[in-house]
Amino acid sequence: MQKKDIDWSELGFSYIKTDKRYISYWRNGRWDDGQLVEDNKITISEGSTCLHYAQECFEGLKAYSTQDGGIQLFRPDENAKRMQRGCEKLLMPTVATEKFIEACAQVVRANEAWIPPYGSGATLYLRPYIIGIGDNIGSKPASEYIFSIFVLPVGSGYKDKLRPVNYIVTEQDRAAAHGTGAIKVGGNYAASLQANAEAASRGFAGCLFLDPVTHTKIDEAGGANFFGVTKDNKFVTPYSPSILPGITKMSLMQVARDYCAMEALETDIYIDKIDQLAEAGICGTAKLATPIGRLEYRGNPHVFYSETEAGPVITKLYDTLFGIQTGDIEAPAGWIYKI
Ligand SMILES: *Cc1c(COP(=O)(O)O)cnc(C)c1O
């Protein structure tokens, strides 16, 4: 297989049109078998519910090249299940876990030339999504849907080693306490664009959202989960009904326990108690984990470990989980799906 002529080390997180995408339609109460197509444009009715009522959810996962030339997905069953929960909440038809994983495998195989090689640091990102389509106007679920997956090679975000970024705590909320915060829907992202743009305009890499009820506890970053390492070496991450249950976060908890002999727990992390954290960061599929150097809250800056260097625990967690994802370190049972 001839790989594409790409400088894998220069890749960021930008759209690249790869060769094939998977698309399946829900009509007359069932999904069709789905197919791989070349066209990256979809034609949908102006009455599509995804356009007006945000009847849409998506996923993000990756395929990794291993040293022995294999390709593997990381916990795709968890993405399938999370998407099912999103579909149930938005009254959309679910995609069975087997169909979801098989579609992932098909689209990865069909774009083999785009899969970054082992050791490049780059990976193949998969973007599954489900949208309500068809001729509708009233505020009710669509009768037709598209389930599609496209893929693109993405960089690690790090040239050589982990680098901390600076974050600010926003006064805005991304999701309601018992709303859609725990499902991966575009609406949450639309609601967080302004706060993120404001953070960027002030020179921050992004913003953290507080819990929408009391505004005293850290929720998450709106596209990545927050975690910390306490001064007595516990892995902590917020527990909240308004955050997205990240697969990276769950995996890091288990890595902390089983590979680093740390205690790991979901708990309240009060914004006025962050000096209890020796290290802090955000985590998600796209960049795995990024240390937060400085966090600003109401004009007060707080530096966790360092503004220029990643802390030792985050570095160990990162290296271990990336090693598991790329097959260098033995994974817990069920985490790896070989293609
Ligand atoms: C996708 C996402 C995350 C990270 O989830 P992973 O499964 O780890 O990629 C965190 N927060 C939000 C809001 C997300 O949409």
Side-chain angles (χ1 to χ4, degrees), residues 58-61 79 82 174 181 183-185 188-189 220-225 243-250 283-286:
F58 68 97
E59 272 303 326
L61 69 161
N79 295 92
R82 187 166 68 191
R174 64 176 275 279
I183 54 172
K184 207 167 178 74
V185 298
N188 294 339
Y189 277 74
E220 64 158 308
N225 292 120
I243 68 178
L244 198 279
I247 296 159
T248 314
K249 155 191 151 129
M250 299 303 174
C283 62
T285 296

Side-chain angles (χ1 to χ4, degrees), residues 11-327:
L11 283 173
F13 196 79
S14 311
Y15 183 82
I16 294 171
K17 180 178 183 274
T18 52
D19 295 338
K20 298 277 178 64
R21 63 275 305 115
Y22 172 92
I23 187 161
S24 176
Y25 286 84
W26 171 276
R27 290 192 186 108
N28 306 314
R30 60 177 287 275
W31 290 112
D32 67 16
D33 287 338
Q35 56 174 328
L36 294 167
V37 298
E38 280 177 17
D39 195 355
N40 70 336
K41 310 277 192 300
I42 49 176
T43 302
I44 57 174
S45 166
E46 62 191 357
S48 294
T49 56
C50 62
L51 298 176
H52 306 277
Y53 307 125
Q55 207 187 16
E56 182 272 354
C57 69
F58 68 97
E59 272 303 326
L61 69 161
K62 284 178 166 182
Y64 303 81
S65 294
T66 58
Q67 191 161 21
D68 63 6
I71 306 294
Q72 56 191 32
L73 298 172
F74 180 69
R75 309 188 76 175
D77 53 318
E78 291 293 334
N79 295 92
K81 285 190 266 176
R82 187 166 68 191
M83 190 167 225
Q84 289 157 10
R85 292 197 297 272
C87 288
E88 280 161 14
K89 170 80 178 168
L90 301 188
L91 300 183
M92 304 197 289
T94 55
V95 171
T97 302
E98 305 71 51
K99 180 184 172 84
F100 180 94
I101 296 177
E102 175 51 31
C104 288
Q106 273 187 39
V107 70
V108 168
R109 280 188 207 109
N111 292 287
E112 203 185 332
W114 297 91
I115 306 174
Y118 171 84
S120 66
T123 48
L124 190 76
Y125 183 78
L126 284 73
R127 168 53 58 87
Y129 63 93
I130 298 183
I131 55 176
I133 59 167
D135 299 327
N136 314 274
I137 191 60
S139 171
K140 61 178 197 298
S143 51
E144 297 184 359
Y145 295 85
I146 285 174
F147 165 50
S148 180
I149 307 176
F150 62 92
V151 299
L152 56 150
V154 298
S156 68
Y158 306 104
K159 274 270 179 299
D160 39 13
K161 54 180 182 166
L162 286 179
R163 275 185 210 295
V165 295
N166 296 332
Y167 263 64
I168 185 168
V169 178
T170 178
E171 303 284 337
Q172 296 193 31
D173 296 329
R174 64 176 275 279
H178 303 284
T180 53
I183 54 172
K184 207 167 178 74
V185 298
N188 294 339
Y189 277 74
S192 65
L193 287 176
Q194 193 190 35
N196 275 312
E198 218 170 86
S201 74
R202 298 178 56 184
F204 294 92
C207 66
L208 291 184
F209 294 87
L210 297 179
D211 76 281
V213 177
T214 68
H215 296 108
T216 58
K217 298 173 275 187
I218 295 176
D219 245 5
E220 64 158 308
N225 292 120
F226 180 82
F227 69 96
V229 180
T230 62
K231 288 185 173 157
D232 57 353
N233 205 39
K234 287 183 184 134
F235 181 97
V236 290
T237 183
Y239 180 78
S240 163
S242 49
I243 68 178
L244 198 279
I247 296 159
T248 314
K249 155 191 151 129
M250 299 303 174
S251 304
L252 283 175
M253 286 182 80
Q254 197 167 331
V255 166
R257 283 190 197 114
D258 298 352
Y259 294 75
C260 304
M262 296 168 71
E263 227 180 282
L265 60 155
E266 288 177 296
T267 182
D268 291 335
I269 300 178
Y270 288 91
I271 187 65
D272 63 1
K273 298 249 171 62
I274 50 172
D275 57 353
Q276 293 173 352
L277 301 176
E279 299 180 33
I282 53 165
C283 62
T285 296
K287 291 189 178 172
L288 205 169
T290 305
I292 297 179
R294 172 163 45 90
L295 178 64
E296 187 172 309
Y297 174 55
R298 297 196 168 155
N300 299 312
H302 176 84
V303 175
F304 290 103
Y305 180 77
S306 152
E307 281 187 68
T308 50
E309 270 178 62
V313 182
I314 290 184
T315 303
K316 171 109 197 288
L317 291 167
Y318 181 100
D319 289 345
T320 307
L321 185 52
F322 193 62
I324 290 171
Q325 290 169 331
T326 54

